[in-house]
Amino acid sequence: MTSSHTSVPSYMQGSTRRVGIMTDVHRRFLQLLMTHGVLEEWDVKRLQKHCYKVHDCNATVEKLEDFINNINSVLESLYIEIKKGVTEDDGRPIYALVNLATTSVSKMASDFAENELDLFRKALELIIDSETGFASSTNILNLVDQLKGKKMRKKEAEQVLQKFVQHKWLVEKEGEFTLHCRAILEMEQYIRETHPDAVKVCDLCHGLLIQGQSCETCGIKMHLPCVAKYFQSNSEPRCPHCNDYWPHEIPEVFDPEKEREAGISKSNKKPLRSRQH
Amino acid sequence: MPRGQKSKLRAREKRRQAQIETQRSKSQRSRRAPPTTNTSAGVSCTRSDEGAKNQDEERPSTSQASASTDDPHRTPLDQKAILLVEFLLRKYNMRDPITKQDMMRQVIKKHKAHFHVILKKASELMVLAFGIDVKEVDPIRHRYVLVSKLQRTSDDRLRGEKIMPKTGLLMTILCVIFMKANCAAEEDIWEVLNVMGIYADKKHYIYGDANKLITEDFVQERYLEYRQVPNSDPPRYAFLWGPRAHAETSKMKVLEFLAKLHDTVPSAFPAWYEEALRDEEERARARFASLLRIGTTANVPSGVNLGSLSQL
């Protein structure tokens, strides 16, 4: 009953262009990617190989980039795409299925009540305005009285924050909250549009910046992985803007091979992110 | 690279440019400076190998707050179908039950009269693009589940996680058990399942042999415990939460599930809510204690992706 080679019906396609071919390999891949929410590149590659194995053992596994571009060309008409990003703290390449049909907090509306959505907006504002990109649990909970909709107690708000973590919108670290890398991928546009003045931007890649390092002289900011790449093997790092000495520790460029060889899985490296799934 | 790939990309570029031109004249929002290097989160993978990085390139959808009707090929119902697909995909992710009411309120809105058409279009898209079926499990109360058309394989997991169990059914059973003071008689479970149209002696079109599923499969997967009631003659049986259910979900989550089915909040069930809160506190304490014991060389992967039920 499942047709293996189909493309999206013509009424859903824009203009006369050829769309990629979608097979069960791609569908299984999408289902599993969605199930995990966000995946690291290494896992994505494994997933891709697994999907090929299940459906089409003899076919050569397409290069990941082409595989994903193919899928995206089909999903484009649905305003859905597999987006690639990089984690802000340690530069891991990640992939997530993001939906661009709604570009606001309303994409969370199916899972959260009005007051919960407002709590998210408040937490988001605190995160954006903060120096570190983290908002403390206390500060967020203190805003509980200002929420739209049904009145929420602080205890309930704590639960809601955990729900945000479970749904991969926020991440918790030692009692403080920041945006999950998936949330950044999916909501970057919304964030930039709703906070045009408060939002920070990386001086190197010009992408949205939540966590990063700043120059203490001129104030420009950069993502940690951007810093790592820019100052790689530079013994005298200097601010690209004002040329003053860069005062922070330069992080390492993420190396997937090194990590795998060391045999440490991602989850073991961060024991303090206790409630991140 | 497959033939025609580069020209496909170029053609897509051209088409995007054309769409941006039409929307630029309509859009009032200020544009952001797009990233020129690829290191930050949020740069689409489709652009990574395009040589000509146009400064103003932007996905046409970004200037649409909700898929607008600018595209001449799209009818308003098509737009709604697309939004419904987004809604359904989030439900698939979270293994939540889906009601017609939810869909009406959150997506369909003023197009109520066209619900069936929109749902049909959306269902078609779900099958074609994702291999997911939208099935009505309860025609009276209009409840739907999302079922993958693709066969489960034992390897559909990463790092030891299991695939998610049958949508909603397990949660319903865990719910009943919780409501019956953590131990539910077999009859209680079937009473609830029968209302849902699931019977012990009849093959169900989604769940198949439901009796085997709950007394054997779920038990084997350690989600449920199936015990004989002591001193019962003829032997009667009861269900309890299995160790895996305890590990992968919680009383609070199950209560949230129940609340959602009744379109309310967990605190509407004060006694169960209190119990669930206590359970949450206990779990938090236990987690903290285990972290302190293990220290920084955690063998238990922290942030363990707790398998199937963690997404519920």
Side-chain angles (χ1 to χ4, degrees):
Chain A
M1 198 157 92
T2 317
S3 45
S4 50
H5 290 262
T6 41
S7 48
V8 176
S10 58
Y11 66 80
M12 294 313 274
Q13 291 176 29
S15 72
T16 51
R17 71 189 148 86
R18 281 178 57 232
V19 254
I21 301 293
M22 186 75 106
T23 71
D24 279 353
V25 176
H26 304 95
R27 293 188 189 98
R28 184 177 292 269
F29 179 83
L30 281 171
Q31 283 186 20
L32 292 170
L33 178 60
M34 271 196 294
T35 296
H36 290 93
V38 61
L39 280 177
E40 277 189 57
E41 191 162 57
W42 183 53
D43 284 329
V44 171
K45 288 186 170 158
R46 272 181 58 193
L47 190 68
Q48 183 198 15
K49 290 197 183 76
H50 163 70
C51 294
Y52 268 94
K53 219 169 70 160
V54 172
H55 290 281
D56 204 353
C57 308
N58 298 321
T60 7
V61 175
E62 213 184 358
K63 198 173 108 187
L64 183 65
E65 202 177 309
D66 294 333
F67 184 78
I68 288 180
N69 284 347
N70 183 29
I71 292 176
N72 281 343
S73 71
V74 174
L75 297 183
E76 195 173 3
S77 51
L78 301 179
Y79 300 109
I80 292 171
E81 75 176 48
I82 299 174
K83 212 165 175 187
K84 180 179 177 179
V86 155
T87 57
E88 277 193 327
D89 52 1
D90 53 5
R92 294 162 184 277
I94 47 160
Y95 293 81
L97 196 69
V98 303
N99 202 301
L100 306 162
T102 52
T103 54
S104 75
V105 170
S106 64
K107 59 173 71 260
M108 295 167 69
S110 59
D111 302 316
F112 297 95
E114 191 193 349
N115 56 0
E116 295 173 335
L117 292 176
D118 214 34
L119 182 69
F120 183 79
R121 281 188 209 101
K122 293 266 181 297
L124 183 60
E125 263 187 47
L126 286 178
I127 288 168
I128 291 168
D129 289 334
S130 77
E131 194 41 51
T132 57
F134 281 85
S136 76
S137 172
T138 319
N139 288 345
I140 299 173
L141 295 177
N142 282 339
L143 299 174
V144 141
D145 292 325
Q146 300 173 27
L147 298 179
K148 291 185 216 162
K150 192 161 170 269
K151 185 167 164 62
M152 190 191 291
R153 292 179 291 155
K154 276 192 184 171
K155 191 121 201 189
E156 274 174 68
E158 273 178 2
Q159 304 284 335
V160 176
L161 287 177
Q162 289 313 314
K163 211 171 143 192
F164 291 146
V165 171
Q166 270 167 47
H167 283 56
K168 299 192 164 104
W169 295 112
L170 295 180
V171 146
E172 189 196 348
K173 189 176 174 185
E174 294 164 352
E176 294 196 311
F177 292 88
T178 188
L179 284 179
H180 196 286
C181 53
R182 198 267 293 205
I184 295 178
L185 277 182
E186 195 151 8
M187 288 188 166
E188 177 170 359
Q189 201 58 26
Y190 161 73
I191 292 170
R192 291 176 86 131
E193 279 167 11
T194 51
H195 303 81
D197 304 314
V199 116
K200 303 180 193 88
V201 152
C202 175
D203 197 65
L204 282 179
C205 71
H206 306 292
L208 172 69
L209 186 143
I210 301 289
Q211 291 177 57
Q213 292 181 349
S214 7
C215 174
E216 276 158 22
T217 313
C218 66
I220 61 135
K221 290 187 178 302
M222 299 200 278
H223 291 119
L224 292 163
C226 293
V227 166
K229 229 186 230 177
Y230 188 73
F231 290 132
Q232 200 174 13
S233 56
N234 182 337
S235 50
E236 265 202 46
R238 289 181 167 280
C239 172
H241 193 248
C242 70
N243 211 39
D244 225 15
Y245 179 65
W246 192 258
H248 307 283
E249 185 184 333
I250 310 296
E252 296 241 325
V253 174
F254 177 72
D255 183 356
E257 289 304 321
K258 209 194 284 179
E259 180 153 305
R260 225 166 331 137
E261 276 160 30
I264 305 165
S265 76
K266 162 192 88 150
S267 38
N268 281 347
K269 261 180 81 180
K270 295 179 175 57
L272 293 176
R273 285 180 199 249
S274 49
R275 274 169 271 190
Q276 181 184 351
H277 288 268
Chain B
M1 205 183 212
R3 264 190 326 163
Q5 192 78 351
K6 281 199 179 130
S7 56
K8 220 194 287 184
L9 287 172
R10 251 181 273 130
R12 206 186 320 146
E13 262 277 3
K14 272 202 199 131
R15 197 188 50 81
R16 258 201 213 126
Q17 280 308 307
Q19 268 185 309
I20 289 164
E21 288 309 307
T22 45
Q23 279 166 19
R24 200 170 284 159
S25 52
K26 292 179 191 172
S27 167
Q28 285 162 352
R29 297 215 195 118
S30 58
R31 307 253 146 158
R32 63 174 169 100
T36 48
T37 50
N38 216 354
T39 52
S40 76
V43 177
S44 164
C45 190
T46 55
R47 280 186 224 135
S48 54
D49 68 339
E50 283 171 35
K53 285 210 172 79
N54 188 306
Q55 269 297 306
D56 281 323
E57 184 183 44
E58 195 172 37
R59 270 167 270 110
S61 54
T62 54
S63 52
Q64 301 175 36
S66 60
S68 81
T69 50
D70 285 353
D71 188 328
H73 296 270
R74 297 278 162 76
T75 69
L77 294 188
D78 288 336
Q79 304 291 355
K80 283 296 180 186
I82 291 173
L83 290 173
L84 186 57
V85 167
E86 179 185 15
F87 176 85
L88 292 172
L89 289 177
R90 293 200 193 275
K91 293 299 187 183
Y92 179 77
N93 227 3
M94 290 298 141
R95 282 306 194 250
D96 276 348
I98 305 163
T99 62
K100 179 177 176 180
Q101 197 181 25
D102 269 343
M103 289 193 263
M104 288 291 215
R105 219 175 329 146
Q106 301 208 26
V107 183
I108 313 285
K109 297 187 192 172
K110 60 181 176 168
H111 290 94
K112 279 184 165 53
H114 305 279
F115 172 74
H116 283 290
V117 174
I118 297 171
L119 180 61
K120 187 160 178 290
K121 281 185 201 259
S123 304
E124 215 177 274
L125 293 168
M126 290 289 284
V127 169
L128 286 172
F130 302 97
I132 295 170
D133 250 337
V134 182
K135 285 198 151 93
E136 187 173 34
V137 283
D138 188 344
I140 300 163
R141 266 168 299 188
H142 301 294
R143 284 216 270 266
Y144 299 81
V145 291
L146 299 173
V147 183
S148 169
K149 293 180 90 77
L150 306 174
Q151 261 215 332
R152 263 173 66 161
T153 74
S154 56
D155 285 328
D156 265 355
R157 63 186 123 126
L158 291 164
R159 299 193 191 152
E161 300 143 11
K162 301 288 181 195
I163 317 165
M164 298 184 184
K166 311 293 183 179
T167 309
L169 180 63
L170 179 61
M171 278 304 262
T172 305
I173 295 171
L174 292 177
C175 216
V176 176
I177 297 171
F178 174 46
M179 283 156 55
K180 299 277 182 190
N182 305 313
C183 180
E186 191 168 9
E187 301 86 62
D188 294 328
I189 301 287
W190 283 113
E191 198 182 357
V192 173
L193 294 186
N194 289 346
V195 169
M196 289 167 61
I198 305 168
Y199 301 91
D201 49 8
K202 230 193 287 181
K203 189 160 190 273
H204 191 265
Y205 75 110
I206 294 178
Y207 304 120
D209 186 351
N211 191 35
K212 177 174 180 291
L213 180 62
I214 69 175
T215 59
E216 287 179 28
D217 298 354
F218 283 158
V219 174
Q220 214 169 59
E221 292 184 42
R222 293 159 61 237
Y223 284 114
L224 296 178
E225 274 183 26
Y226 183 58
R227 288 199 202 142
Q228 186 175 351
V229 175
N231 304 321
S232 58
D233 191 7
R236 286 168 43 241
Y237 293 86
F239 286 91
L240 297 94
W241 281 35
R244 200 159 160 205
H246 283 293
E248 291 184 8
T249 189
S250 68
K251 292 178 181 176
M252 186 56 80
K253 285 189 208 159
V254 163
L255 192 59
E256 277 168 17
F257 175 84
L258 177 70
K260 210 178 277 217
L261 284 177
H262 292 272
D263 201 24
T264 180
V265 288
S267 46
F269 310 100
W272 291 323
Y273 188 57
E274 287 305 309
E275 191 181 341
L277 277 177
R278 263 181 277 127
D279 182 59
E280 289 296 297
E281 277 174 30
E282 187 49 62
R283 284 163 178 270
R285 252 192 297 251
R287 243 193 326 250
F288 209 66
S290 71
L291 275 174
L292 290 173
R293 258 200 310 274
I294 293 165
T296 54
T297 55
N299 284 328
V300 174
S302 67
V304 158
N305 193 324
L306 299 175
S308 4
L309 286 176
S310 68
Q311 303 265 14
L312 285 164

